[in-house]
Amino acid sequence: MTDQAPPAPTSTPSLSPPTLDLGVGGMTCASCVARVERALKKVPGVQDAAVNLATESVHLTFDAAQADMEQRVRRAVRNAGYEPRSLAAQEAAQQAQGPWAGFAPVAWGLLLSMPLVLPMLGDLLGQHWMLPPWAQWLLATPVQFWLGARFYKAGWHAAKALTGNMDLLVALGTSAGYGLSLWLWLTADVSHSAGHAPHLYFEASAVVITLVLLGKWLEARAKRQTTAAIRALHALRPEVAHLITRDGEVDVPLAEVMVGDRLVVRPGERIPVDGTLLEGQTQVDESMLTGEPLPVARSADGPEGSRLTGGSINGEGRIVLQVGAVGAETVLARIIRLVEDAQAAKAPIQRLVDQVAAVFVPVVLLLALATLLAWLWAGVGAETALIRAVAVLVIACPCALGLATPAAIMAGTGVAAQQGVLIKDAEALETAHRVDTVAFDKTGTLTVGRPRLTGFHVEQGVDADALLALLASVQSGSEHPLARAVLQAAQERGVAVAAPGAVRAVPGRGTEGEVAGRQLRVGSLRWMQELGVELSADMAAQAQALQAQGATVSALAEQDGAGTHLRALLAFGDEPKPGAREAIAALHARGIRCVMISGDNRGAAEAMARRLGLKPEEGEVLAEVLPGDKAAAVRQLQQGGRVVAMVGDGVNDAPALAAADVGLAMGNGTDVAMQAAGITLMRGDPALVAAALEISRRTVAKIRQNLFWAFAYNVAGIPLAALGYLNPVLAGAAMALSSVSVMTNALLLKKWRA
């Protein structure tokens, strides 16, 4: 029949190289990211390494032939000056952290720095509270060398690698301020008259370190909020399951549940794993998985109605299910894996940031040196010149540059997952906002995908029920929606279906097989023409009338010694999905062209298109497209520089999904389609297409906003510091504020709703 294809496999073997995910501790800015990536790409066998500053992790692909890869990667991370960590342990530690975790160093810094800052406030009130030099030194030294030890350690590793990072800038800047203060104090009896204490800068170095620590703590809190979506998905898995054994119900850990087990789920409990409903009926809340706010009915009768997904909430009924998938093979585990992979991936726009970060710190060091020399040449004195060079070092931190893109991607992919839009990779997220054409597969995407046999027209004198029995026998081994419609019609008429002989699917055309010694072929009218089957005038007129009414028309033919002869015409009717017309109207309102791709004859395709609000006269229908030609149809739509998104759900949609600039697979479709697509829509609602494009637009807007502010901050801040308008304390505050503002701006995406 039309768009006929062999049954889809439930999974496909992966030919992609193996991957490794590892936590990396101690990274502070975009320069650290570049350094870790360079170190890892030098490891033999590593094909690619993508480091994410926001998640403090690295995603690697490597040659499967290489042994001990994890050990060698860990060694490379440690040799680069950072701490390799287990991602599972890192995530567990983050989940166990309270809102004030990690605040102790900040508290100590505030406690020790406050007495150094208060005299500055007193000067504004006409009070002289200045502490003696020895007291300032006692307060500043623990901040500099105890709380600031992390900056010295990380800065030293960067210097050894002949690179720079935020820690090196902070260590150099605060050390210069501390050293200048110490030198002025120790030489005060020579350079200052008795009774006048020298002006020291201990408060500048201490406050800068404290402010940087405060900024990193606020940044860490914001990072935990960006990963909240992942933690919420993990929390959907219950700890135990109620297993049915010979001795009754037994509570067992979820890890011990196996495929084929029978489990009891009580009212209000979460369904532990994927399975099939065996007993009972209920309403299931799948909102955390699909974004669908209303519960869906599940009952033991019907293949779709009996499907249960782990992580959803059972409603009012006690049910018994048979386990179909456990562990990493469940839908929930695959969702978590998709979101984690997307958050770990690097968007194309990030490559520009990496290139800037690679040269940023050396350029800043040169600017600070130039500031020092310029002010010395201007004659302001070594003290003033050094303080202004310190301000340049402190304010020019690439933290915000490193966080701008990953923070927005994490927030965007997280909130999208909660609304039923799974973004597989960052490149799809970045590309989707540029889409100007959306191509939809018809069956199962824009239509319900459950067509019914609405007409069965046989030759005169032929027993319709007997012929329907033969037809159903040929179709009994096919998973095609039209084949299921034939079987349903045979069941409703009470027709017995015999086991067929050799049956073969002819992709894009139909099915042929032997039943009771008769050679039968059922498929599209186009295939009948290829076979040389002649339609009588009455049958041809009947076919045209059915097509004009919007029916999908197929034919049944029989081959004998005299050739292949028509035996019957079949008319199938399908209905548009609820909300499909509104979804297309919403895309049209955004100025996006919508095109329906169908294997149906042009009359049937155009009739359905008009019901959906499409305009065939404007080229919004591509009819009579064979499954193997869908990818070519997508490439045709891409001509002229158009950015095309393809939406589909079947095996035969996979090449088109891969050929499109962005592939969107319906979550109720096949695994093959979801593997080929960059974005998966967890419920079969066409309205989610516009939602996916919208979250892409908002996320890319946040990335651009973050990058603008990160660059603008440095472009404006460095000259102000070099010209003496910012002292080191204000520079430190501005540096901390830049990172926090980037994270806060990205977190605004969490308010988005589909």
Side-chain angles (χ1 to χ4, degrees):
M1 294 185 179
T2 310
D3 289 354
Q4 188 86 7
T10 55
S11 61
T12 54
S14 175
L15 300 178
S16 57
T19 61
L20 173 65
D21 293 285
L22 191 70
V24 180
M27 296 189 298
T28 55
C29 66
S31 296
C32 296
V33 170
R35 193 162 122 225
V36 174
E37 287 184 348
R38 282 197 302 271
L40 291 176
K41 288 177 181 177
K42 292 179 181 177
V43 176
V46 171
Q47 298 176 356
D48 190 31
V51 177
N52 189 316
L53 178 61
T55 57
E56 296 183 321
S57 64
V58 58
H59 180 75
L60 289 146
T61 56
F62 59 91
D63 185 355
Q66 296 290 333
D68 302 325
M69 180 56 70
E70 182 173 352
Q71 290 84 344
R72 288 191 282 127
V73 166
R74 285 177 172 271
R75 181 69 57 84
V77 171
R78 194 173 297 281
N79 289 343
Y82 301 92
E83 179 188 354
R85 298 171 177 170
S86 163
L87 268 185
Q90 183 170 286
E91 290 171 1
Q94 289 176 350
Q95 292 179 19
Q97 289 177 348
W100 293 95
F103 189 72
V106 180
W108 278 110
L110 292 172
L111 186 65
L112 294 170
S113 301
M114 192 61 66
L116 297 172
V117 177
L118 284 176
M120 298 172 60
L121 300 177
D123 286 342
L124 299 176
L125 302 174
Q127 303 295 321
H128 300 286
W129 300 336
M130 186 62 66
L131 297 175
W134 63 268
Q136 295 183 47
W137 175 79
L138 283 178
L139 290 168
T141 299
V143 177
Q144 186 71 39
F145 299 108
W146 173 44
L147 300 179
R150 54 176 285 182
F151 302 114
Y152 285 102
K153 179 181 177 182
W156 171 243
H157 285 295
K160 285 197 302 181
L162 300 178
T163 61
N165 59 9
M166 180 207 80
D167 303 288
L168 181 62
L169 295 180
V170 173
L172 288 175
T174 57
S175 295
Y178 180 89
L180 175 62
S181 301
L182 193 62
W183 181 79
L184 291 174
W185 173 34
L186 295 177
T187 58
D189 57 333
V190 176
S191 59
H192 292 269
S193 59
H196 291 82
H199 181 73
L200 307 180
Y201 299 94
F202 284 122
E203 84 286 345
S205 60
V207 171
V208 165
I209 288 177
T210 301
L211 287 174
V212 173
L213 292 175
L214 176 61
K216 300 305 288 182
W217 178 76
L218 292 172
E219 179 186 307
R221 285 194 64 177
K223 285 180 185 176
R224 288 197 292 271
Q225 292 183 54
T226 62
T227 57
I230 290 289
R231 292 198 299 274
L233 289 171
H234 279 290
L236 296 180
R237 292 185 285 209
E239 297 290 332
V240 297
H242 312 307
L243 176 66
I244 297 178
T245 67
R246 295 177 181 176
D247 301 323
E249 294 181 24
V250 177
D251 288 351
V252 298
L254 190 61
E256 296 180 11
V257 173
M258 296 184 294
V259 174
D261 285 345
R262 292 194 303 154
L263 305 178
V264 170
V265 184
R266 297 163 187 156
E269 291 184 336
R270 289 200 179 275
I271 296 170
V273 292
D274 297 353
T276 304
L277 182 57
L278 297 179
E279 300 176 15
Q281 58 183 14
T282 186
Q283 297 280 330
V284 178
D285 180 1
E286 298 180 342
S287 58
M288 279 300 294
L289 296 172
T290 66
E292 173 60 57
L294 298 177
V296 292
R298 291 287 182 259
S299 60
D301 51 348
E304 185 66 23
S306 63
R307 177 182 56 82
L308 296 171
T309 306
S312 53
I313 300 175
N314 181 30
E316 73 282 358
R318 178 187 182 274
I319 57 175
V320 176
L321 68 90
Q322 184 172 34
V323 178
V326 297
E329 299 305 315
T330 63
V331 170
L332 177 59
R334 288 161 59 196
I335 290 173
I336 293 173
R337 192 159 60 244
L338 279 174
V339 178
E340 288 177 336
D341 288 347
Q343 293 189 344
K346 184 169 290 189
I349 199 172
Q350 181 69 21
R351 296 176 190 136
L352 170 64
V353 178
D354 293 342
Q355 293 171 0
V356 172
V359 299
F360 189 84
V361 174
V363 169
V364 169
L365 292 173
L366 290 176
L367 289 174
L369 179 61
T371 300
L372 176 64
L373 296 177
W375 283 111
L376 286 174
W377 180 75
V380 299
E383 181 179 333
T384 301
L386 185 59
I387 286 299
R388 290 175 181 175
V390 167
V392 171
L393 289 173
V394 171
I395 200 168
C397 168
C399 294
L401 285 177
L403 291 169
T405 300
I409 288 175
M410 289 173 63
T413 53
V415 71
Q418 292 175 337
Q419 299 298 310
V421 179
L422 287 185
I423 298 168
K424 185 176 175 181
D425 59 69
E427 186 170 356
L429 177 67
E430 187 176 328
T431 304
H433 81 283
R434 297 189 289 110
V435 166
D436 54 27
T437 303
V438 177
F440 290 92
D441 173 57
K442 180 179 78 76
T443 304
T445 302
L446 289 176
T447 65
V448 175
R450 291 193 292 271
R452 295 181 59 83
L453 183 64
T454 58
F456 187 54
H457 305 277
V458 301
E459 294 177 322
Q460 291 184 355
V462 176
D463 185 344
D465 285 348
L467 198 58
L468 180 60
L470 294 174
L471 173 63
S473 297
V474 174
Q475 296 288 61
S476 59
S478 175
E479 292 296 322
H480 194 278
L482 300 187
R484 291 199 295 266
V486 170
L487 294 172
Q488 182 180 356
Q491 183 181 7
E492 291 173 352
R493 294 195 190 187
V495 174
V497 179
V503 175
R504 183 176 72 92
V506 183
R509 287 165 174 80
T511 306
E512 59 184 7
E514 179 183 341
V515 180
R518 301 173 67 173
Q519 298 292 329
L520 301 174
R521 290 173 175 170
V522 55
S524 66
L525 295 179
R526 180 175 48 210
W527 189 30
M528 296 298 121
Q529 291 176 351
E530 293 173 0
L531 295 173
V533 177
E534 294 185 2
L535 274 68
S536 65
D538 290 342
M539 283 293 193
Q542 186 70 44
Q544 289 179 357
L546 292 170
Q547 290 173 351
Q549 296 169 9
T552 299
V553 180
S554 297
L556 173 64
E558 182 177 359
Q559 183 179 2
D560 55 24
T564 305
H565 308 284
L566 182 71
R567 292 289 180 254
L569 288 177
L570 295 79
F572 298 93
D574 199 358
E575 290 296 317
K577 276 188 176 180
R581 186 182 180 93
E582 291 77 8
I584 290 174
L587 291 170
H588 278 154
R590 293 168 180 245
I592 296 174
R593 182 188 182 205
C594 297
V595 178
M596 185 181 78
I597 300 178
S598 173
D600 285 347
N601 62 80
R602 179 156 296 279
E606 290 185 354
M608 177 59 71
R610 289 190 176 91
R611 295 179 65 185
L612 291 164
L614 293 167
K615 303 170 184 175
E617 62 277 6
E618 296 183 10
E620 293 191 337
V621 176
L622 297 179
E624 300 178 359
V625 178
L626 293 174
D629 295 336
K630 288 184 179 180
V634 168
R635 286 190 284 270
Q636 178 185 343
L637 293 173
Q638 290 171 324
Q639 292 178 2
R642 301 190 74 90
V643 181
V644 177
M646 174 69 193
V647 188
D649 67 336
V651 174
N652 53 34
D653 296 327
L657 291 169
D661 297 284
V662 180
L664 294 96
M666 292 291 188
N668 58 344
T670 64
D671 287 354
V672 178
M674 287 186 277
Q675 286 289 338
I679 298 175
T680 298
L681 311 178
M682 283 306 295
R683 60 183 190 271
D685 185 356
L688 284 183
V689 175
L693 302 185
E694 175 65 14
I695 190 58
S696 168
R697 185 188 67 79
R698 290 179 179 242
T699 303
V700 171
K702 288 298 179 188
I703 291 174
R704 289 174 174 170
Q705 290 168 15
N706 285 348
L707 289 176
F708 170 79
W709 287 114
F711 280 111
Y713 155 82
N714 283 294
V715 169
I718 292 176
L720 289 174
L723 293 172
Y725 293 109
L726 290 177
N727 62 41
V729 172
L730 290 176
M735 183 193 68
L737 183 62
S738 68
S739 298
V740 175
S741 63
V742 162
M743 295 298 298
T744 303
N745 188 43
L747 288 173
L748 293 176
L749 284 170
K750 296 181 69 176
K751 297 181 179 180
W752 176 80
R753 294 293 180 268

